[in-house]
Amino acid sequence: MNVQPAAFLRTTLPLDLSRLAELDNGRYHSIWLPDHLVSFWPDSLWTPEFTDLAAASPSPHRHLDGLVVAAAAAVLTDNVPVVSAVVDTVRRHPCMLAQTALTIDHLAKGRFVLGLGSGESENTVPYGFDFARPVARFEEALNVIRLLWESDGPIDFDGRFYTLRQARLDIEPYDGRFPPIWIGASGPRMLDIAGRHADGWWPAGAWTPEHYAEMLSAVRASAEHAGRDPMAITPCFIQVCLIGADDDALAEILRAPLVRAFLLQVSAETLRGFGFEHPMGEGWRGFQDIDPATLPRERIVEFLDKVQPEMVLAVVPHGTPGRVAEIVKTYVDAGLRVPKILDYGAMAGLKYAEASAANVRATEDELLRLCGAVS
């Protein structure tokens, strides 16, 4: 499989579907759509005090239903696969996921990919969803989806989380093929599940090429143990980067509070591995501990004061488009085949947000030049 970048379609307001024709021209492997109720950014940080982006949008949490937007994208495109990146199995019952995935796949004429994950606390706990045992729930939900897709006639199922009695889903798959399932996984249990069940995989975070290669190896070992072809699993990654025209631009980007706040998504354990103590304390678990509504301004200010630019640079590829492409190429050498280059420099403010799309495209162009016909 040749290296081919993926595109990203935001599912927040204001929604812009006008780019879909551009994304459907063969340049991109697939279009990825996130599915959230809230974003990672704390409410106390999304104010004019910290960012001029707050003047453009009153809230960072104006998320539309990712699967509904995926259905619209399916109708408005003809060629490129459409991927949910990712839907969790906590907020959505697997019976509904099974039906919705088949529905979108019929709208897409066989181009929908069901991307699944075990969920995050900020999208579940505030809304009263049971976030206990998310990995066990995920695997059982995955089994229910497959069972409904592949069974002839009504089924019974007795699980720890789901019970079905004479349940049926008689929608036939489009053109005789069920949608591929891609799984977001980073922990040992989820990597094992991905190897046994996934058609594609991406991690929630891979901080070095060696880390990515290690996780991919675990996925492939699990697939091989299950009697599956490990090389048939598509290796993907949302590669968060900081792209600037030069050193001065990068220095300005790193001064932006929202860019420094990326460290909220990084665990203390991960940052310690790069030689730094986390500004949120030694027990901070990264995105699993973020609750946007409950991080007060005082704690955010204290956090920002402790963030050193070197901390962010340690965990995020950074530099000019050419330099970032060279770094992403090291992940390709580690096995990555479908990268989505996500320029977090856009969070530095309106000026950098406007330049971000061109920076990403330049990085993609250079990456493809560097990779050539990688297989």
Side-chain angles (χ1 to χ4, degrees):
M1 180 191 304
N2 289 337
V3 172
Q4 189 177 11
F8 204 63
L9 184 68
R10 292 192 320 162
T11 54
T12 51
L13 290 175
L15 183 66
D16 182 12
L17 299 180
S18 65
R19 294 181 58 236
L20 285 171
E22 171 193 345
L23 303 181
D24 197 31
N25 64 5
R27 175 182 177 88
Y28 293 104
H29 175 279
S30 42
I31 300 174
W32 298 358
L33 298 88
D35 182 71
H36 290 270
L37 283 166
V38 295
S39 296
F40 295 115
W41 298 294
D43 297 340
S44 56
L45 193 57
W46 196 270
T47 69
E49 175 187 3
F50 295 110
T51 176
D52 62 2
L53 294 174
S57 177
S59 167
H61 311 302
R62 300 161 72 197
H63 290 276
L64 301 172
D65 187 314
L67 290 178
V68 175
V69 179
V75 173
L76 294 173
T77 54
D78 297 310
N79 305 298
V80 65
V82 176
V83 185
S84 59
V86 296
V87 179
D88 71 65
T89 52
V90 179
R91 292 176 294 141
R92 299 181 191 263
H93 195 285
C95 295
M96 299 308 299
L97 283 171
Q99 182 192 41
T100 299
L102 289 179
T103 301
I104 299 175
D105 201 41
H106 276 270
L107 294 172
K109 298 181 179 178
R111 292 179 292 113
F112 181 63
V113 177
L114 179 60
L116 295 174
S118 58
E120 306 99 1
S121 57
E122 85 279 359
N123 280 303
T124 55
V125 175
Y127 303 94
F129 293 105
D130 183 2
F131 195 50
R133 304 180 183 277
V135 176
R137 181 186 298 274
F138 174 84
E139 184 165 23
E140 187 169 304
L142 190 59
N143 288 332
V144 169
I145 292 170
R146 293 285 195 196
L147 190 62
L148 285 168
W149 280 357
E150 297 169 2
S151 296
D152 293 326
I155 60 171
D156 295 332
F157 180 84
D158 291 290
R160 182 190 301 179
F161 305 98
Y162 306 105
T163 300
L164 278 63
R165 289 288 176 268
Q166 293 296 289
R168 63 193 304 153
L169 188 61
D170 289 352
I171 308 169
E172 66 270 21
Y174 182 85
D175 202 24
R177 185 186 71 95
F178 292 107
I181 292 180
W182 290 5
I183 294 177
S186 293
R189 291 173 60 200
M190 285 294 291
L191 292 171
D192 177 62
I193 293 170
R196 289 187 281 114
H197 296 284
D199 302 296
W201 162 78
W202 59 81
W207 308 109
T208 65
E210 294 77 16
H211 187 203
Y212 188 90
E214 179 183 345
M215 288 187 286
L216 178 56
S217 178
V219 170
R220 287 175 170 169
S222 173
E224 189 168 10
H225 185 73
R228 305 180 67 219
D229 178 4
M231 304 309 293
I233 299 173
T234 303
C236 311
F237 188 32
I238 298 176
Q239 182 86 66
V240 175
C241 306
L242 294 176
I243 310 175
D246 50 37
D247 290 343
D248 289 340
L250 185 61
E252 186 175 354
I253 287 169
L254 284 166
R255 286 194 290 270
L258 284 179
V259 172
R260 286 184 282 166
F262 176 75
L263 285 182
L264 292 172
Q265 301 182 41
V266 181
S267 71
E269 180 182 4
T270 295
L271 199 59
R272 194 177 303 118
F274 289 96
F276 299 101
E277 294 301 314
H278 202 290
M280 293 298 284
E282 63 180 14
W284 184 254
R285 298 180 303 159
F287 62 84
Q288 291 293 355
D289 274 345
I290 297 175
D291 185 341
T294 61
L295 281 173
R297 179 189 178 281
E298 294 74 18
R299 192 172 188 199
I300 287 297
V301 169
E302 180 184 5
F303 159 78
L304 292 174
D305 286 343
K306 294 179 179 179
V307 173
Q308 304 168 31
E310 293 77 15
M311 295 177 178
V312 181
L313 296 178
V315 296
V316 177
H318 54 276
T320 63
R323 177 57 186 148
V324 170
E326 290 173 353
I327 298 171
V328 177
K329 173 62 164 57
T330 65
Y331 284 80
V332 170
D333 294 340
L336 173 63
R337 289 297 174 266
V338 185
K340 167 56 201 138
I341 297 171
L342 182 63
D343 176 29
Y344 215 81
M347 303 312 299
L350 292 172
K351 178 177 74 172
Y352 287 100
E354 290 173 0
S356 182
N359 284 336
V360 168
R361 190 174 182 91
T363 306
E364 292 169 349
D365 287 343
E366 180 61 15
L367 176 64
L368 292 174
R369 188 192 70 78
L370 290 171
C371 291
V374 176
S375 61

